[in-house]
Amino acid sequence: MPASRSQSRGRGDLEQQVFAALAAGGRAMTTTDVRDALGGELAYTTVMTVLARMATKGLATRKRVGRSYAYTAVVDAAEVTAHQIHRLLDERGDRAAVLTRFARGLSREESQLLVDLLATDERAS
Amino acid sequence: MTTAAALGLIAIVGYALIAPAASRRLVPSVATVLLVVGNLLAAASGVFILAVLAFTWIGQFPLVAQQGAWSPAALRSDSPVPAWPAAVSGCLVMIALGSFLVAGLRQARALIAVHRACRGLRPVGDLVVLDDERPDAFSTPQPAGRVIVTSGLLRALDHRERKVLLAHENSHLAHHHAWWNLAAGLTAAVNPLLRPAARAAATAAERWADEDAARAVGDRRLVAETLVRVVQLQTHFTPSAPAAGQPVAGATGGDLEARVRGLLAPPPRRRPVLIVAAIAVFAIGSLPAAAVQHTGESLFEHAERPAAVHHT
């Protein structure tokens, strides 16, 4: 059981990465484009399969370019949602506690302190 | 009884002072769990001890004593707790319970608001990309938890940084970090002394996700760099960044400096001795509350009216 779960988890991760790359591109991308945007570590056919599945699910649109397809991510332009969630994030204290945020903006000085931390570490090593 | 109560309250204050620093020596996943459990114990035993103290006074009101089986006069002469500390305890219990209710209701409302906002979204795996310039990434609580990333942030990152980001947020979902944070936030609402420990719990949960991301990409420094890059993007996107001194837990990303330092340091080692020590401290710290309960009970038994009028 754990093996199959981790396998499906792995496929979900791959799908996320492909989708994130496509969304980051913000334009129509061929399989080769997406593969390059992912660092070129994945097999062409793997990327192609994931893209094709996304198109079938309606998560990406595709149009023919020469002999292959160019894909565009269907990104949620849910402005109401974005507004609602950003309002939650902006509220301080326990209302925002329901979301775990990757990072938050700091004052310029605090933010510079983090950059310095990285720089000192690089010099030390 | 007063000694036990005093010891119990001292144990809570001691925990509140020591826990944040001590937790930094633990593996982040262990630290998160121990801090949340410790906070729950401390918050509960604090309210319990104060409630028992308060009841030695409330029990002296004839109306209340009538309901119980004791004599108000006997209780007054037996009680080792003077009236005014007992009355103050009662007020503190009311304030704590009120604050718990308010915080709980607000969080429940926020949970519903987030759930509603995400209902219309179509996730890929659990990922939702929002078409938004503001660079931001966060995850929403399970069940049906989502990783939400703005297109603005995705565009600003390269493929390795995106991998870090997704691994970090997926770790939050896999380990239900939002719920640990919520629990910690509620304990801080009950007892403001526990705020630093609740903040430490939120930071430990972020560190936990950072360590998971580091394992996923096999590069600790890359995670630190990604973190700092995202902070920079956000700082420069909103010139009026929030001032220092953020509130409890919250969607703040934890203590960022502690996270970067943690990632630049070698991977944390498991310290079984420290874990056992922490559990022993929790057990010893709960003894005074148990003693208060025991002596409180015998106090009321002693003041019991001889006539067996009760139990009808």
Side-chain angles (χ1 to χ4, degrees), chain A residues 7-105:
Chain A
Q7 233 165 31
S8 77
R9 178 78 247 168
R11 209 180 72 184
D13 282 352
L14 181 63
E15 212 174 22
Q16 281 190 357
Q17 312 243 353
V18 171
F19 187 76
L22 201 58
R27 59 187 168 89
M29 293 167 90
T30 62
T31 306
T32 314
D33 292 339
V34 175
R35 184 171 168 261
D36 291 346
L38 286 164
E41 293 155 2
L42 294 165
Y44 181 89
T45 47
T46 309
V47 179
M48 192 177 73
T49 313
V50 175
L51 284 172
R53 199 164 47 222
M54 274 182 195
T56 330
K57 285 191 199 161
L59 299 167
T61 56
R62 65 179 173 189
K63 61 172 194 283
R64 214 162 240 301
V65 176
R67 293 168 70 189
S68 59
Y69 287 109
Y71 295 84
T72 312
V74 176
V75 167
D76 270 298
E79 284 184 19
V80 180
T81 306
H83 180 73
Q84 283 170 340
I85 290 177
H86 282 150
R87 220 184 55 197
L88 270 173
L89 283 168
D90 287 336
E91 278 179 58
R92 305 246 175 127
D94 49 12
R95 288 221 47 185
V98 300
L99 303 175
T100 44
R101 198 175 190 176
F102 184 69
R104 64 182 158 91

Side-chain angles (χ1 to χ4, degrees), chain B residues 55 58-72 75 300 303-305 307-312:
Chain B
F55 206 69
I58 295 169
Q60 292 173 23
F61 289 106
L63 209 65
V64 180
Q66 237 167 38
Q67 303 301 314
W70 58 84
S71 114
L75 186 61
F300 280 91
E304 216 163 287
R305 272 189 293 244
V309 197
H310 205 61
H311 302 300
T312 46

Side-chain angles (χ1 to χ4, degrees), chain A residues 16-17 24 37-38 58 76 81 84-86 88 90 96 98-106 108 111 115 121, chain B residues 114 117 122 129 131-132 134 136-139 141 155 159 162 169-170 221 232 234-236 241 251-252 259:
Chain A
Q16 281 190 357
Q17 312 243 353
L38 286 164
D76 270 298
T81 306
Q84 283 170 340
I85 290 177
H86 282 150
L88 270 173
D90 287 336
V98 300
L99 303 175
T100 44
R101 198 175 190 176
F102 184 69
R104 64 182 158 91
L106 298 167
R108 299 218 171 210
S111 164
V115 177
D121 179 70
Chain B
V114 169
R122 247 192 329 174
V129 178
D131 193 13
D132 195 336
R134 175 170 156 165
D136 222 331
F138 46 87
S139 60
R155 264 200 295 280
H159 74 276
R162 284 199 300 266
E169 294 302 330
N170 282 325
R221 196 182 155 80
Q232 292 269 300
Q234 291 188 325
T235 302
H236 292 276
T252 60
R259 286 172 63 189

Side-chain angles (χ1 to χ4, degrees), chain B residues 117-172:
Chain B
C118 293
R119 209 164 35 191
L121 301 174
R122 247 192 329 174
V124 180
D126 296 318
L127 171 69
V128 172
V129 178
L130 272 187
D131 193 13
D132 195 336
E133 277 312 305
R134 175 170 156 165
D136 222 331
F138 46 87
S139 60
T140 69
Q142 298 275 38
R146 299 278 179 260
V147 172
I148 300 181
V149 185
T150 63
S151 53
L153 182 58
L154 284 180
R155 264 200 295 280
L157 301 178
D158 70 23
H159 74 276
R160 297 176 72 215
E161 294 166 332
R162 284 199 300 266
K163 209 168 171 179
V164 168
L165 180 71
L166 293 177
H168 174 102
E169 294 302 330
N170 282 325
S171 164
H172 281 323

Side-chain angles (χ1 to χ4, degrees), chain B residues 99-115:
Chain B
S99 157
F100 174 77
L101 278 179
V102 169
L105 280 175
R106 290 171 79 178
Q107 292 188 348
R109 261 215 314 266
L111 279 171
I112 294 167
V114 169
H115 182 75

Side-chain angles (χ1 to χ4, degrees), chain B residues 96 99 187-196:
Chain B
S99 157
T187 62
V190 169
N191 184 347
L193 287 176
L194 297 173
R195 266 183 209 163

